[in-house]
Amino acid sequence: VLITALVLAGCAAPVFKDAPPAVATPLDVAAGPERYHDADVVWGGKILGVRNRAESTEVEIVAYPLDRAQRPDPGAQTLGRFVISLPGFVEPLDYPPGRYLTMQGRIAGAQTAHIDERDVVLPIVANANVHLWPVNFPYDGSHWSFGVGVGVVH
């Protein structure tokens, strides 16, 4: 039973099954947004904030690499930041800071944001399909460990 559970956990299907192969990271696009205009991307990460504009809503994300099931890996080094532009008004409580997501969309441009004492280019993704991961992601109980001794969970 244990081996079957581990095999099934390792074979999780991707969220966006027909997604194209990765063309670039948010850092790559930030370095040359014009080269990637209209490129399809599948990115994921952690929500930093939501800004409702007059005609759209911007969700700012810190990007992480995705595993084979297209889940963000918060234990890895970040891949920059990006913005998802959603049409109309989006309830900020539906996209709370700290929640993880994976999305598929198209590069629609870039914007400059002032973060601390630096100006940073943030790719903008439009026409996005968004998959929100459960509130307890990545600590959803799917992690296994065996051993003898004392463990501390924080």
Side-chain angles (χ1 to χ4, degrees):
V1 173
L2 176 63
I3 291 172
T4 302
L6 290 173
V7 168
L8 290 175
C11 297
V15 176
F16 301 106
K17 293 170 184 48
D18 296 329
V23 295
T25 68
L27 288 172
D28 297 330
V29 175
E34 62 284 341
R35 291 191 352 233
Y36 297 99
H37 189 73
D38 279 339
D40 288 317
V41 294
V42 176
W43 291 339
K46 186 176 188 178
I47 297 172
L48 296 174
V50 174
R51 289 179 297 280
N52 276 295
R53 306 286 190 197
E55 302 293 324
S56 64
T57 300
E58 296 177 347
V59 182
E60 186 175 339
I61 310 294
V62 62
Y64 288 102
L66 302 179
D67 66 12
R68 292 187 323 171
Q70 297 173 335
R71 295 176 297 218
D73 179 3
Q77 184 172 351
T78 63
L79 300 174
R81 294 182 182 199
F82 65 97
V83 172
I84 303 170
S85 180
L86 300 172
F89 175 84
V90 173
E91 176 56 57
L93 293 176
D94 291 339
Y95 291 86
R99 186 92 182 258
Y100 289 88
L101 61 75
T102 300
M103 63 96 237
Q104 179 179 20
R106 288 185 181 264
I107 304 297
Q111 67 185 33
T112 303
H114 194 74
I115 300 172
D116 294 329
E117 296 184 18
R118 297 188 62 154
D119 286 333
V120 178
V121 176
L122 304 177
I124 299 172
V125 179
N127 301 321
N129 294 318
V130 177
H131 175 82
L132 287 170
W133 293 99
V135 173
N136 56 349
F137 178 89
Y139 309 106
D140 59 5
S142 63
H143 303 280
W144 295 79
S145 64
F146 295 95
V148 177
V150 177
V152 177
V153 178
H154 49 82

